[in-house]
Amino acid sequence: MVDMGTFRNAVVRRASGRPAGEAEELAGQAGVRAAVLVEGASDLAAVEALAARCGRDLAAEGVCVVPMGGAMSVGRYARLLGPEGLGLRLSGLCDVRERPFFDRGLRQVGAPADAVFVCVRDLEEELVRALGADRVEGIVRDEGELRPWQTFLRQPAQHGRPREQLLRRFLGTKKGRKIRYGRLLVEALDGERVPAPLDGLLRSL
């Protein structure tokens, strides 16, 4: 049986215009029934971490979370995966500024726009707000990044900003950090404080 990662990689290659093999055949072998379109790898990490916390195996359920490398690609992925392509049920997770791209991309293939779940600013802000600044700083400390965090705080450009905003910005200052903390912050959430966009998305699948 083909694993979901193999199918996901084939989709990304095809959407990028590179040879991808038979995505249709891989979809059947992997048992894919639905695709969640997200902007990047940090969103993928957060969605899969939340599913695991809830005792769900999205791959076993036939759900593939697809990082598109940017919201402007949503139309291309929707055509490939949606009713005009592989016939998968589509949903999405995006930032509020990306909502027009998602609405237009899904509308063009006849997929329901109400399957898109929108973060107020971005997913990192949602997670930091849900946990609170003290808890997030504790996670940063536990990850051995207290010194980089303190160095970041001393930068003149950061003076006067709210701590939650500073933490959000800090997560994006090093390659790979958002991906790692996307998983860590979700794993630290209390069950009743899951951000509404993430909670709504998972319940819809």
Side-chain angles (χ1 to χ4, degrees):
M1 176 128 179
V2 173
D3 64 47
M4 196 63 75
T6 301
F7 170 71
R8 180 188 295 119
N9 291 339
V11 167
V12 172
R13 287 196 301 272
R14 175 175 286 190
S16 302
R18 292 175 288 167
E22 293 296 330
E24 294 87 350
E25 181 179 347
L26 291 173
Q29 293 175 4
V32 188
R33 63 172 181 82
V36 180
L37 303 179
V38 299
E39 181 180 1
S42 61
D43 306 297
L44 166 64
V47 172
E48 291 192 334
L50 180 61
R53 270 201 51 171
C54 296
R56 295 181 60 178
D57 182 341
L58 294 183
E61 296 177 21
V63 178
C64 184
V65 185
V66 181
M68 302 180 294
M72 294 182 69
S73 300
V74 66
R76 186 161 63 248
Y77 278 89
R79 288 190 297 273
L80 174 59
L81 297 170
E84 297 179 358
L86 298 184
L88 305 180
R89 183 165 65 87
L90 298 179
S91 57
L93 177 73
C94 68
D95 305 343
V96 67
R97 65 182 178 275
E98 300 164 350
R99 180 65 187 265
F101 297 113
F102 274 74
D103 285 347
R104 182 165 59 250
L106 295 185
R107 184 173 60 248
Q108 288 175 346
V109 300
D114 61 0
V116 177
F117 297 85
V118 183
C119 300
V120 171
R121 188 168 184 179
D122 58 28
L123 183 56
E124 288 73 34
E125 183 190 55
E126 295 277 357
L127 291 170
V128 171
R129 184 169 58 247
L131 286 165
D134 289 344
R135 183 71 183 95
V136 177
E137 284 187 2
I139 295 170
V140 170
R141 182 181 60 250
D142 292 345
E143 288 298 299
E145 293 202 298
L146 183 59
R147 181 170 293 179
W149 166 238
Q150 292 172 336
T151 299
F152 175 79
L153 290 178
R154 288 195 293 269
Q155 295 175 1
Q158 311 308 331
H159 294 172
R161 297 179 184 271
R163 271 201 308 162
E164 290 185 353
Q165 186 179 125
L166 289 167
L167 284 160
R168 170 185 168 269
R169 292 172 66 87
F170 173 73
L171 297 182
T173 58
K174 181 180 178 181
K175 185 176 180 180
R177 184 177 277 152
K178 287 174 66 173
I179 300 172
R180 178 158 55 101
Y181 280 91
R183 175 181 57 80
L184 290 169
L185 297 186
V186 166
E187 290 175 348
L189 288 169
D190 294 331
E192 296 181 356
R193 294 189 62 83
V194 176
L198 272 178
D199 184 59
L201 173 65
L202 195 62
R203 291 179 184 274
S204 74
L205 299 175

